[in-house]
Every structure is written in C-alpha cells, then in structure tokens.
Amino acid sequence: RASGGCQKIRGAQLLELLESKHDVLFDCDGVIWNGETAVAGAPEAVRALKQRGKRVFFVTNNCTRPRQSYVQKFERLGFADVNEQEIFSSAYCSAAYLRDVATLTGKVFAIGCPGVHTELRDAGIAVVEEEEDGPDVNISNCALDPDVRAVLVGYDEKFSFMKLAKACCYLRDSECLFLATDPDPWHPLRGGRITPGSGSLTAALETASSRKATVIGKPSRFMFECIASQFDLDPESALMVGDRLETDIVFGINCGLSTVLTLTGVSTFEQALVYKDSDEAEKKDFVPDYVVESIADFMEALEE
Ligand code: PLP
Ligand code: CA
C-alpha cells in the first residue's frame, strides 16, 4: 500500500484525489449526519460529486432501518438525490448474504430492530416471528422452532435474556449459521451519552454459545462485494470516507480502497497518529491515507 500516511488534505490536493476516483463510498453516521442532523455542507458535497459524474454509495453499519426508511431520512435531512440502490446497510447486506451466499433454506432467528426483520422479509427469507412470551414461559420450557438454520444478531433495544437464551439453544446445532450485522461496540448519543452497539450483543451471544459470529458489516469485505456485485466497481478507483478507524478505515484497507478519515464523528486525528506510530504491524490497518476536517471540505475543493 502506497500510503497510510494520515495526511491532512484540503483544497487543491483534495481536488486531485477526488479527480483520480470514480466512486466514493460514504459511511453515514459521523460523516454525512450525526443522528438526525446533517453534517454542515454534506448535502452540497454529495450533490457536487454526483454533478461531476462520480458514483456515490452509502455504507452504514446501522441495521435499524430498512433501505426505504433511509431514503426518507436522506430526504428529510436535505439530500435531494439519493436513491435506494445507493444505500447499503448492514441489515440489507445481511439479508443479501443469507439469500445469495449462504443460500439459506429454513428460517432465521433474528435479534434486531424492525429494520432487520423487514430486510430479511424483503429478501424472501423466512423469519421466526417475535412473540410475547406468556407469564409461565421460561428458558426451560420456551418453544424453539425446528426450522431455524441461522441466527442473526444486531442492534436491538428490546434485547433480552430470553432472546439470548433461545439464540444459544439454536446455535448448539453446529450446522446453524451464526451471523452478526456489525461489530460496532457503542455509538455516541446526544449529551455525551452512548448506547451499546451490535458488537456488545454479539459478544454476549458468542460467550453463551462458545462460537464466533460471521460479521457482515464493516470492516468485513462483504459489504463491498455486495456493492460490487450490483455495480461494476474497481477498488483502485474508489474512495472510502469514514469516521471510525476500527471499522470504516479497516474496511477501506481490507477492500483495497484509498481511505479518508473525517473528523466529524467518533475517531480523532490523535488516535489515527497513535496507530500510525505503533510498533505493531497490524495497527497499520487502522491508519487512513488522508484526513479531512469534514466532508464540507469536499465541496470547497470541488469549487476550486
Ligand atoms: N448501529 C447503530 C444502532 C447506530 O445507531 C449507528 C450510528 O448511529 C451505527 C450502527 C453506525 O452507523 P454508521 O456505520 O453509519 O456510522
Ligand atoms: Ca460512522
């Protein structure tokens, strides 16, 4: 790899980088929005890239919404021209994996928000219905569906001991697939709070089952393969823009893309430098090629 230089760029240098690429992959939270607020200048930057003939894709580990709901979010936040085909979420890609790679026959037991269930159904995958367990139901007598062939775990605000217990019963069968939407440990909320991410729930299930999940979301290559299978994509001419070194930047490097860290989200420039200066070789996979303050800098560069 020619770079991993953690180089701060803007203006003419950034323009040169953008001109050398055909496809731009954006992480969502921390890059183009923070929660329900668009990053200042992000809608304009996306529009400007498209006007210059770039293809833009959105690659998010957030599994809580189905694709159609992302389209609405983009519209609500002022992104006028984003369509469903450009949005790749860990829920959509998990469903695509089960359908196209695992060619699953049988049902999925899914721990996750409604977005996960919707994407699975849209992909034609049978899902175990979530039902309220009655007062006499406990971990020893709860019903298990004999048709389950996969367990998928993702962010679930209704995660419970019972769901964990059922999932690890299904995983006793070594033929039962074990997937996780994404490995994110936590996410920032407003007011300095955080929420546990899918990775935290996956860790509980990995411990309970003594198995390791196959991770679909970033930094796994699968999301890139999912995009590449639908659009002719050359890693050499693609750029990955993200805010989290351990997922977005590692993802870009795993897929052979040039990488840009933007400082509007989770990771800091100092953290990138710590990885860069580390003696451990594997830490180099966490070092972005370039760093920008915000994707609003893209707009500024394109106007040069
Ligand atoms: N998963 C959940 C539940 C989230 O709330 C978030 C960010 O808000 C993410 C994942 C990370 O999303 P992204 O990959 O777009 O940063
Ligand atoms: Ca992010």
Side-chain angles (χ1 to χ4, degrees):
R1 202 157 73 93
S3 30
C6 221
Q7 186 193 346
K8 279 207 176 182
I9 53 168
R10 56 183 296 184
Q13 276 181 312
L14 182 52
L15 179 63
E16 195 184 326
L17 173 64
L18 294 174
E19 281 182 338
S20 71
K21 302 293 175 185
H22 185 242
D23 301 301
V24 184
L25 278 61
F26 286 114
D27 165 59
C28 292
D29 204 74
V31 173
I32 61 163
W33 57 55
N34 281 298
E36 276 298 314
T37 314
V39 167
E44 293 78 9
V46 169
R47 191 176 317 130
L49 286 167
K50 288 189 166 191
Q51 274 168 359
R52 281 162 181 78
K54 310 290 179 198
R55 291 190 303 186
V56 173
F57 300 99
F58 300 93
V59 192
T60 178
N61 272 0
N62 191 328
C63 62
T64 62
R65 294 166 186 275
R67 264 176 150 187
Q68 189 49 46
S69 156
Y70 276 111
V71 173
Q72 288 159 9
K73 177 165 183 176
F74 275 103
E75 281 173 9
R76 195 163 65 238
L77 299 192
F79 297 81
D81 44 5
V82 174
N83 56 61
E84 196 170 316
Q85 286 68 35
E86 297 165 327
I87 303 165
F88 290 82
S89 74
S90 57
Y92 171 80
C93 293
S94 295
Y97 182 92
L98 285 167
R99 186 191 55 208
D100 303 334
V101 180
T103 56
L104 186 79
T105 52
K107 292 185 188 170
V108 180
F109 180 74
I111 295 177
C113 288
V116 170
H117 293 257
T118 306
E119 289 293 4
L120 290 169
R121 288 204 190 87
D122 286 356
I125 290 164
V127 186
V128 177
E129 290 302 324
E130 280 194 336
E131 52 195 44
E132 283 288 319
D133 289 311
D136 301 329
V137 176
N138 60 49
I139 50 166
S140 335
N141 67 11
C142 62
L144 295 173
D145 191 318
D147 297 331
V148 169
R149 296 289 177 275
V151 169
L152 172 64
V153 55
Y155 184 84
D156 185 354
E157 291 180 0
K158 297 209 168 79
F159 188 73
S160 66
F161 191 84
M162 195 66 136
K163 288 184 183 179
L164 181 62
K166 287 181 182 172
C168 66
C169 285
Y170 290 125
L171 291 172
R172 298 278 293 171
D173 176 359
S174 61
E175 301 278 295
C176 181
L177 293 175
F178 181 14
L179 303 184
T181 56
D182 68 274
D184 290 8
W186 51 270
H187 303 286
L189 300 175
R190 288 169 165 269
R193 295 195 179 197
I194 62 168
T195 178
S198 305
S200 311
L201 309 185
T202 305
L205 188 45
E206 288 186 335
T207 299
S209 66
S210 298
R211 291 183 53 177
K212 283 279 171 216
T214 299
V215 174
I216 300 298
K218 299 167 290 182
S220 151
R221 289 177 46 93
F222 182 70
M223 288 179 93
F224 183 78
E225 284 160 13
C226 201
I227 304 173
S229 71
Q230 296 177 24
F231 298 86
D232 190 26
L233 217 66
D234 175 9
E236 296 253 312
S237 61
L239 191 64
M240 174 66 203
V241 185
D243 72 306
R244 199 170 212 150
L245 296 165
E246 296 80 3
T247 50
D248 303 321
I249 301 306
V250 178
F251 169 76
I253 292 168
N254 280 344
C255 301
L257 319 177
S258 295
T259 53
V260 178
L261 175 72
T262 171
L263 299 175
T264 48
V266 170
S267 298
T268 64
F269 185 53
E270 289 67 34
Q271 288 165 339
L273 290 179
V274 169
Y275 284 132
K276 185 173 185 246
D277 296 337
S278 166
D279 294 332
E280 295 168 55
E282 62 268 29
K283 293 285 162 62
K284 301 294 181 230
D285 286 350
F286 296 78
V287 184
D289 300 322
Y290 307 101
V291 182
V292 298
E293 290 299 325
S294 155
I295 70 160
D297 294 355
F298 285 30
M299 189 66 214
E300 185 200 79
L302 292 168
E303 280 170 351
E304 289 251 323

